Amino acid sequence: STRNARGDEKGSMSDNNSTATLHCEGDGKGHMHMDMDEEFYNLTMLLLFLLATWVVGKAAMWVKVPSLLGELVVGMVLGPELLDVVPFPMALTLVGEVGLLLLVLEAGLEVDLQMLKQIGKKGFIVAAVGSLLPLGMGTGIAIGIGKMETMEALSVGASLAPTSMAIALNILKVGKSLHSPAGQLIIAAAVIDDVIALILLSELKALQNAPTAMNFITPILSSTVFTLAFGGFAIFGIPRVMEAERMKKFSDSQTFVYSCFFGMFVLSIGLMNATYYGKSSFLLGAFLAGLCFCTIEKIKVVWHAQVKRIETWMLRLFFSTTIAFKVPVRDLWRKNVLAFTAALLLPLLGKLVTGFFGPRPLKKIEFFTIGFAMSAWGEFAFVVANTSLALEIMSPDTFASVVLAVLISAIISPWALSLTLLFARKQKELLQYQVQMSVRKRRGMLNHAYLEVDICCVNRWGLIDGLINKFHALDLSVLDFTVSSLETFSIMRLYLKNKSKDMASQSEVAYFAHLHEEISKYCGI
């Protein structure tokens, strides 16, 4: 009977468990069915959002405007401010922030120190004027026309200070003008411009709560110390380490390259924390980490092979989510927003002024090339505006006006720059024909009205401007100039026009010997 009782007890427990299990299973399946439906919906909408971002971005490039314009439009339409069909907006926004960090890290990694040396002080002058003049104009417009408080007005001016290096770089590459003195000046100024933008960003954060003298000075001092320390290490320290005998043995190995690659990311995390708690911008830390490894060419190869495509997709999310999701789309077409947007386009003139710092004697083509390239607002303009909105320094309406102004500049400036470079290319084709026809007979002696000069010399500070001035002193007009760097050497090709009136009175051999001697003396050959 005991066995039967235990059997009955087990049977009843088994029945109870079965009943309970079946009940829970049925309940779970119901919930699971609902969860599966929601998960499938989210997955479908996410895929459609990513596809739309890619397609519209490519379509924007097809009509000769930056892809970020199309990506922003997709995010504004499908995002929470309008249709609100994109799932997990916070997660996508965070991924976009990682894309921004990779962009800044790459900006430091791609710095060409030899090119900065060639350009010399003019790169710093163009960057300073191209940043501070729009900063002042934007701040003044915000106070005078927008009737804003000082901090919000300063955030508006700071948003209009940075130049988009990515837009300028792409247009110059397509226009085959990247290696001209004007092209090199633009890229050098854009690099320095990025550093200024990061310092302005740290200023906004520091002045958010209490605009005191200490809060104003600390970010500038901190950013300067970090830049000088790690910039000096990148320029002087890393090259010396790489030249050591022990390092040369391992520098070609894949293990060494990947170790440096890993070290760059570790350093970036460390410097991001150091600059953040040092009252500077953590983005400056990422930039300096990349800068420290900019002289190791093999790391750049690994970056383009392993990271570039990931970065590209994360940047698409940065523009289509991190920025676009915060734009008050329904308020964009209000009269006050559009009127203030029109006023904010005036600081573009401050960017255009940088064209006056082109190579001398200044030509119209170089003036407009530099001016239009520097007037393209882009990535860092959105970063500053987005940070100002997050810190509640900038109102949503002001943010909408700034975003619209930046988008308009991202359309106008690339088109204007492309047309300028197209006209320059036509002039260059005419010049090449003239060079071919330049040999002519005069009084029985062979003379050249046009000259082609190839130079390879050790790079030094301000080499390009000094060389152009030297040719002018020799009565030679510089018609075209391309320059590139190889390790510590500058490789240049110039087309010159001989303006000398006594050209026929000198033999060709004597003239070229004198010209060769003067160039060699200046270049230290």
Side-chain angles (χ1 to χ4, degrees):
S1 66
T2 306
R3 187 178 296 173
N4 290 336
R6 286 182 179 175
D8 292 341
E9 187 179 350
K10 282 186 179 181
S12 65
M13 287 178 62
S14 178
D15 291 341
N16 290 337
N17 285 339
S18 298
T19 306
T21 304
L22 288 171
H23 176 73
C24 290
E25 192 178 57
D27 225 20
K29 281 184 177 178
H31 284 297
M32 190 181 296
H33 184 69
M34 291 176 62
D35 290 342
M36 285 289 289
D37 284 347
E38 186 177 356
E39 185 178 344
F40 180 72
Y41 172 80
N42 288 338
L43 180 61
T44 302
M45 296 312 299
L46 178 59
L47 291 174
L48 288 174
F49 172 69
L50 294 175
L51 182 63
T53 302
W54 181 77
V55 170
V56 179
K58 292 294 182 183
M61 292 176 66
W62 187 70
V63 295
K64 305 300 181 184
V65 297
S67 61
L68 65 88
L69 180 66
E71 292 154 8
L72 278 165
V73 170
V74 171
M76 288 190 291
V77 172
L78 300 182
E81 291 292 329
L82 201 58
L83 298 182
D84 195 17
V85 295
V86 183
F88 313 115
M90 292 299 294
L92 294 174
T93 299
L94 188 61
V95 174
E97 293 283 2
V98 177
L100 173 63
L101 287 172
L102 291 177
L103 173 68
V104 176
L105 182 61
E106 184 188 27
L109 182 64
E110 294 289 351
V111 169
D112 188 342
L113 296 177
Q114 295 300 322
M115 181 261 293
L116 290 177
K117 188 186 290 187
Q118 288 170 353
I119 297 300
K121 64 181 180 181
K122 188 171 283 188
F124 292 90
I125 294 172
V126 170
V129 173
S131 294
L132 299 181
L133 196 54
L135 170 66
M137 293 176 69
T139 304
I141 289 169
I143 292 174
I145 298 177
K147 307 300 180 185
M148 297 177 186
E149 297 293 331
T150 304
M151 278 304 301
E152 185 174 11
L154 186 61
S155 70
V156 171
S159 299
L160 304 179
T163 293
S164 173
M165 184 169 66
I167 292 175
L169 183 65
N170 289 333
I171 301 297
L172 289 170
K173 278 183 179 178
V174 172
K176 298 180 180 179
S177 297
L178 183 60
H179 294 292
S180 67
Q184 296 287 282
L185 175 60
I186 291 163
I187 299 304
V191 169
I192 301 165
D193 195 286
D194 288 348
V195 178
I196 295 174
L198 294 174
I199 294 174
L200 290 174
L201 191 61
S202 61
E203 281 291 334
L204 289 175
K205 290 181 178 179
L207 296 175
Q208 174 194 7
N209 297 321
T212 62
M214 182 59 70
N215 285 343
F216 177 77
I217 294 171
T218 301
I220 297 177
L221 185 61
S222 176
S223 300
T224 303
V225 170
F226 276 112
T227 302
L228 290 177
F230 287 93
F233 180 65
I235 296 170
F236 304 109
I238 290 291
R240 289 184 180 180
V241 171
M242 295 301 296
E243 288 173 4
E245 289 298 327
R246 291 184 178 179
M247 294 301 293
K248 286 182 178 179
K249 293 179 181 178
F250 303 103
S251 59
D252 291 331
S253 69
Q254 191 175 29
T255 303
F256 175 80
V257 174
Y258 278 100
S259 297
C260 290
F261 194 67
F262 174 74
M264 180 178 67
F265 280 98
V266 172
L267 181 62
S268 67
I269 294 172
L271 281 179
M272 282 166 55
N273 280 272
T275 49
Y276 178 80
Y277 291 107
K279 304 301 180 182
S280 182
S281 169
F282 67 91
L283 293 174
L284 179 62
F287 178 85
L288 292 174
L291 183 66
C292 286
F293 292 87
C294 70
T295 54
I296 305 176
E297 292 298 324
K298 291 184 178 179
I299 289 185
K300 298 178 184 180
V301 175
V302 176
W303 179 278
H304 285 280
Q306 307 254 352
V307 181
K308 187 62 181 179
R309 291 193 178 187
I310 299 172
E311 177 201 348
T312 301
W313 265 106
M314 286 185 168
L315 278 177
R316 287 191 180 111
L317 290 177
F318 173 73
F319 292 116
S320 61
T321 62
T322 309
I323 301 298
F325 284 1
K326 295 178 181 177
V327 178
V329 182
R330 300 179 192 277
D331 299 330
L332 280 179
W333 317 116
R334 287 165 49 187
K335 289 183 179 179
N336 63 321
V337 173
L338 293 175
F340 191 56
T341 298
L344 291 181
L345 294 176
L346 291 175
L348 285 174
L349 297 175
K351 291 285 190 182
L352 199 61
V353 167
T354 56
F356 284 112
F357 297 95
R360 301 297 176 186
L362 185 63
K363 301 173 184 176
K364 290 181 180 179
I365 288 292
E366 290 175 336
F367 170 81
F368 286 113
T369 297
I370 295 170
F372 287 138
M374 294 297 293
S375 63
W377 293 320
E379 305 86 0
F380 279 99
F382 288 121
V383 171
V384 176
N386 187 54
T387 303
S388 302
L389 181 67
L391 294 173
E392 297 183 352
I393 298 174
M394 187 182 288
S395 69
D397 280 359
T398 305
F399 178 74
S401 294
V402 170
V403 168
L404 270 181
V406 173
L407 286 176
I408 292 170
S409 82
I411 296 172
I412 295 174
S413 298
W415 277 350
L417 179 58
S418 296
L419 289 174
T420 303
L421 294 179
L422 178 62
F423 184 72
R425 193 157 60 248
K426 296 294 183 183
Q427 281 193 333
K428 190 172 182 178
E429 289 172 359
L430 177 62
L431 171 65
Q432 289 171 343
Y433 174 76
Q434 290 172 335
V435 169
Q436 291 174 358
M437 303 298 293
S438 65
V439 181
R440 63 183 185 270
K441 294 270 188 176
R442 279 188 184 179
R443 297 179 185 178
M445 285 190 292
L446 191 66
N447 292 283
H448 290 268
Y450 296 91
L451 304 172
E452 179 184 306
V453 180
D454 293 310
I455 302 172
C456 179
C457 65
V458 176
N459 192 14
R460 70 169 186 264
W461 182 261
L463 174 67
I464 292 177
D465 267 0
L467 189 60
I468 291 174
N469 292 334
K470 184 66 178 178
F471 281 123
H472 288 310
L474 295 169
D475 286 329
L476 292 167
S477 176
V478 179
L479 301 176
D480 191 51
F481 191 160
T482 57
V483 58
S484 58
S485 300
L486 179 64
E487 295 181 349
T488 59
F489 294 92
S490 291
I491 302 169
M492 295 165 279
R493 170 167 288 182
L494 302 94
Y495 290 104
L496 310 171
K497 184 175 182 179
N498 195 333
K499 300 186 297 179
S500 178
K501 294 180 180 179
D502 58 344
M503 184 169 55
S505 65
Q506 197 174 16
S507 72
E508 185 182 78
V509 174
Y511 176 73
F512 282 126
H514 172 67
L515 187 61
H516 186 275
E517 181 184 357
E518 291 294 324
I519 296 173
S520 299
K521 187 186 298 182
Y522 175 78
C523 295
I525 300 173

